[in-house]
Amino acid sequence: MKQKHSEASQMNSNKNTSIKNNHTNITWPAILIQPQHDELVYLGSQEAWLIEPQQHLHINTQLFDSLGNTYIMSNNKKVINWEISPQDITLEEIIKKIQYHASLLGHCCTKKLRPKNFTQALNIIRYLEEDS
Protein backbone atom coordinates (compact mmCIF):
# COMPACT_ATOMS: atom_id res chain seq x y z
CA MET A 1 0.00 0.00 0.00
CA LYS A 2 2.91 2.36 0.73
CA GLN A 3 4.13 1.87 -2.81
CA LYS A 4 0.75 2.90 -4.23
CA HIS A 5 0.67 5.97 -1.97
CA SER A 6 4.15 7.04 -3.08
CA GLU A 7 3.21 6.46 -6.73
CA ALA A 8 0.15 8.65 -6.24
CA SER A 9 2.22 11.36 -4.58
CA GLN A 10 4.75 11.22 -7.41
CA MET A 11 1.97 11.32 -10.00
CA ASN A 12 0.41 14.36 -8.38
CA SER A 13 3.73 16.18 -8.04
CA ASN A 14 4.45 15.51 -11.71
CA LYS A 15 1.30 17.44 -12.60
CA ASN A 16 2.15 20.33 -10.27
CA THR A 17 -1.09 19.66 -8.43
CA SER A 18 -1.24 18.66 -4.82
CA ILE A 19 -4.09 17.43 -2.71
CA LYS A 20 -4.80 19.35 0.45
CA ASN A 21 -4.94 16.89 3.30
CA ASN A 22 -8.42 17.64 4.57
CA HIS A 23 -9.84 14.15 4.18
CA THR A 24 -10.29 13.62 7.90
CA ASN A 25 -13.99 14.43 7.60
CA ILE A 26 -14.61 12.16 4.63
CA THR A 27 -15.84 8.73 5.66
CA TRP A 28 -14.63 6.19 3.10
CA PRO A 29 -15.78 4.52 0.91
CA ALA A 30 -17.15 7.26 -1.30
CA ILE A 31 -18.52 7.87 -4.78
CA LEU A 32 -16.98 10.42 -7.11
CA ILE A 33 -19.59 12.27 -9.19
CA GLN A 34 -18.39 14.55 -11.98
CA PRO A 35 -20.53 17.25 -13.54
CA GLN A 36 -21.58 16.50 -17.13
CA HIS A 37 -20.63 12.81 -16.70
CA ASP A 38 -22.95 9.89 -16.06
CA GLU A 39 -20.31 7.46 -14.84
CA LEU A 40 -19.76 7.06 -11.11
CA VAL A 41 -16.40 6.16 -9.59
CA TYR A 42 -16.25 4.03 -6.46
CA LEU A 43 -13.42 4.98 -4.10
CA GLY A 44 -12.90 2.40 -1.38
CA SER A 45 -10.37 4.44 0.60
CA GLN A 46 -8.36 7.63 0.70
CA GLU A 47 -5.56 5.72 -1.02
CA ALA A 48 -7.92 4.92 -3.90
CA TRP A 49 -8.63 8.66 -4.20
CA LEU A 50 -4.91 9.43 -4.28
CA ILE A 51 -4.40 6.89 -7.07
CA GLU A 52 -7.39 8.12 -9.13
CA PRO A 53 -6.11 10.25 -12.03
CA GLN A 54 -6.66 13.85 -10.99
CA GLN A 55 -6.19 15.55 -14.36
CA HIS A 56 -9.69 14.67 -15.58
CA LEU A 57 -11.49 16.15 -12.59
CA HIS A 58 -13.45 19.36 -12.94
CA ILE A 59 -14.25 22.07 -10.47
CA ASN A 60 -17.59 21.23 -8.84
CA THR A 61 -16.87 17.49 -8.91
CA GLN A 62 -18.75 15.99 -5.99
CA LEU A 63 -17.77 13.30 -3.52
CA PHE A 64 -20.51 11.42 -1.73
CA ASP A 65 -19.27 9.56 1.36
CA SER A 66 -20.61 6.56 3.23
CA LEU A 67 -22.38 8.72 5.81
CA GLY A 68 -24.32 10.52 3.08
CA ASN A 69 -22.23 13.69 3.31
CA THR A 70 -21.65 15.57 0.07
CA TYR A 71 -18.38 17.36 -0.64
CA ILE A 72 -17.54 19.61 -3.55
CA MET A 73 -14.10 19.99 -5.07
CA SER A 74 -12.44 23.36 -5.28
CA ASN A 75 -9.11 24.05 -6.88
CA ASN A 76 -7.29 27.08 -5.59
CA LYS A 77 -3.73 27.72 -6.76
CA LYS A 78 -3.35 24.15 -8.02
CA VAL A 79 -4.41 22.63 -4.69
CA ILE A 80 -7.34 20.24 -4.78
CA ASN A 81 -9.54 20.71 -1.75
CA TRP A 82 -12.78 19.04 -0.63
CA GLU A 83 -15.31 21.28 1.08
CA ILE A 84 -18.71 20.41 2.50
CA SER A 85 -21.26 21.09 -0.23
CA PRO A 86 -24.00 23.59 0.60
CA GLN A 87 -26.49 21.15 -0.94
CA ASP A 88 -26.48 17.44 -0.10
CA ILE A 89 -27.29 14.81 -2.68
CA THR A 90 -30.43 12.96 -1.68
CA LEU A 91 -30.74 9.19 -1.65
CA GLU A 92 -33.28 9.49 -4.48
CA GLU A 93 -30.73 11.39 -6.61
CA ILE A 94 -28.10 8.75 -5.89
CA ILE A 95 -30.56 6.02 -6.86
CA LYS A 96 -31.19 7.67 -10.23
CA LYS A 97 -27.44 8.03 -10.82
CA ILE A 98 -26.84 4.38 -9.87
CA GLN A 99 -29.59 3.18 -12.20
CA TYR A 100 -28.22 5.19 -15.12
CA HIS A 101 -24.63 4.16 -14.36
CA ALA A 102 -25.70 0.49 -14.29
CA SER A 103 -27.44 0.86 -17.66
CA LEU A 104 -24.27 2.40 -19.15
CA LEU A 105 -22.41 -0.71 -17.98
CA GLY A 106 -24.91 -2.89 -19.84
CA HIS A 107 -27.05 -4.08 -16.93
CA CYS A 108 -30.76 -4.53 -17.52
CA CYS A 109 -33.66 -4.07 -15.11
CA THR A 110 -31.87 -1.14 -13.48
CA LYS A 111 -35.14 0.19 -12.03
CA LYS A 112 -34.91 -2.68 -9.54
CA LEU A 113 -31.73 -1.13 -8.09
CA ARG A 114 -33.29 0.74 -5.17
CA PRO A 115 -30.97 0.92 -2.16
CA LYS A 116 -32.70 1.74 1.12
CA ASN A 117 -29.78 3.70 2.54
CA PHE A 118 -26.40 5.19 1.65
CA THR A 119 -24.49 2.07 2.68
CA GLN A 120 -26.49 -0.07 0.28
CA ALA A 121 -25.96 2.53 -2.46
CA LEU A 122 -22.18 2.33 -2.00
CA ASN A 123 -22.29 -1.46 -2.01
CA ILE A 124 -24.18 -1.45 -5.31
CA ILE A 125 -21.62 0.89 -6.90
CA ARG A 126 -18.78 -1.28 -5.60
CA TYR A 127 -20.44 -4.38 -7.07
CA LEU A 128 -21.00 -2.65 -10.43
CA GLU A 129 -17.35 -1.54 -10.55
CA GLU A 130 -16.06 -5.02 -9.70
CA ASP A 131 -18.44 -6.66 -12.19
CA SER A 132 -17.50 -4.42 -15.13
Side-chain angles (χ1 to χ4, degrees):
M1 181 140 336
K2 265 189 173 180
Q3 182 182 4
K4 287 183 178 180
H5 181 71
S6 64
E7 288 173 4
S9 297
Q10 182 181 6
M11 179 178 63
N12 288 329
S13 64
N14 288 343
K15 291 183 285 191
N16 294 325
T17 302
S18 61
I19 300 170
K20 187 173 180 180
N21 188 9
N22 69 340
H23 301 112
T24 55
N25 295 331
I26 296 172
T27 304
W28 305 96
I31 300 172
L32 192 66
I33 304 169
Q34 296 189 63
Q36 312 301 321
H37 292 272
D38 296 316
E39 297 86 8
L40 303 175
V41 177
Y42 177 83
L43 300 169
S45 65
Q46 181 175 347
E47 289 77 23
W49 156 248
L50 293 171
I51 293 168
E52 180 68 23
Q54 311 293 318
Q55 72 271 12
H56 69 281
L57 297 177
H58 302 281
I59 298 300
N60 298 326
T61 293
Q62 294 177 304
L63 189 78
F64 177 80
D65 79 2
S66 60
L67 294 179
N69 298 317
T70 306
Y71 298 86
I72 192 160
M73 188 181 83
S74 63
N75 189 344
N76 186 8
K77 297 180 183 177
K78 297 187 179 185
V79 175
I80 295 173
N81 187 29
W82 290 108
E83 301 170 358
I84 291 287
S85 176
Q87 184 175 2
D88 282 337
I89 298 174
T90 66
L91 183 58
E92 193 58 39
E93 290 172 301
I94 288 294
I95 290 169
K96 288 177 185 176
K97 290 180 181 295
I98 288 172
Q99 291 171 343
Y100 194 73
H101 179 73
S103 70
L104 290 174
L105 294 174
H107 292 274
C108 64
C109 305
T110 59
K111 293 290 183 189
K112 293 180 181 180
L113 294 173
R114 297 217 39 97
K116 295 179 179 156
N117 55 47
F118 298 123
T119 302
Q120 285 182 359
L122 285 160
N123 286 334
I124 290 170
I125 293 296
R126 183 185 69 212
Y127 171 78
L128 292 171
E129 291 291 312
E130 290 172 354
D131 191 47
S132 61

